[in-house]
Amino acid sequence: MQAWYAKTFGGVVGKRESVARPGNYIDCDDLPGVNLSMSPSDNRRAPTAGRSIDHIGFEVKNLEAFTKKLAAQGTKLDEPIRSIPNAKNLKITFITDPWGTRIELTEGLPPAGH
């Protein structure tokens, strides 16, 4: 999982100290503005779509080029790229990671507070 997120989104692979269990370190990927932390599970998790946390999202530059890179790596879009009506230059699509996490990809999302 750690390698997939690093390759897909350019994360820096590392470890960070567990908040719940100080002194224990867990795998993580550092991305601009977020740290994705991963810990093992004995059970397979259900996909996120339709659950309390339906999806996570990333703003990317040049969504078309980014999704072509994903396709070359074997990641399929859940839906075609579409423009959002009444939103200037905003494009959106979704993918699902190999573990069932739904991921929203946007291009042109205005910064928070605008």
Side-chain angles (χ1 to χ4, degrees):
M1 183 181 277
Q2 186 181 29
W4 188 88
Y5 274 90
K7 180 180 178 183
T8 303
F9 295 104
V12 176
V13 173
K15 291 194 176 285
R16 70 163 185 80
E17 190 169 14
S18 171
V19 174
R21 294 180 291 144
N24 291 311
Y25 289 83
I26 55 176
D27 294 333
C28 67
D29 282 329
D30 283 317
L31 299 158
V34 69
N35 173 275
L36 297 177
S37 300
M38 294 113 187
S39 57
S41 174
D42 293 332
N43 302 316
R44 180 160 176 82
R45 301 293 182 201
T48 62
R51 299 185 56 142
S52 295
I53 298 178
D54 180 80
H55 66 278
I56 60 174
F58 294 101
E59 170 76 3
V60 299
K61 293 180 182 175
N62 194 339
L63 186 57
E64 297 250 355
F66 188 79
T67 57
K68 285 180 183 176
K69 180 187 94 163
L70 293 177
Q73 293 173 196
T75 301
K76 297 178 184 176
L77 299 181
D78 294 346
E79 59 184 56
I81 295 172
R82 60 186 163 95
S83 295
I84 302 299
N86 302 320
K88 186 178 180 180
N89 302 320
L90 179 57
K91 296 179 184 174
I92 183 174
T93 191
F94 287 86
I95 62 173
T96 301
D97 77 11
W99 303 272
T101 303
R102 189 169 188 232
I103 303 168
E104 177 181 14
L105 302 174
T106 58
E107 176 188 1
L109 191 65
H114 286 93

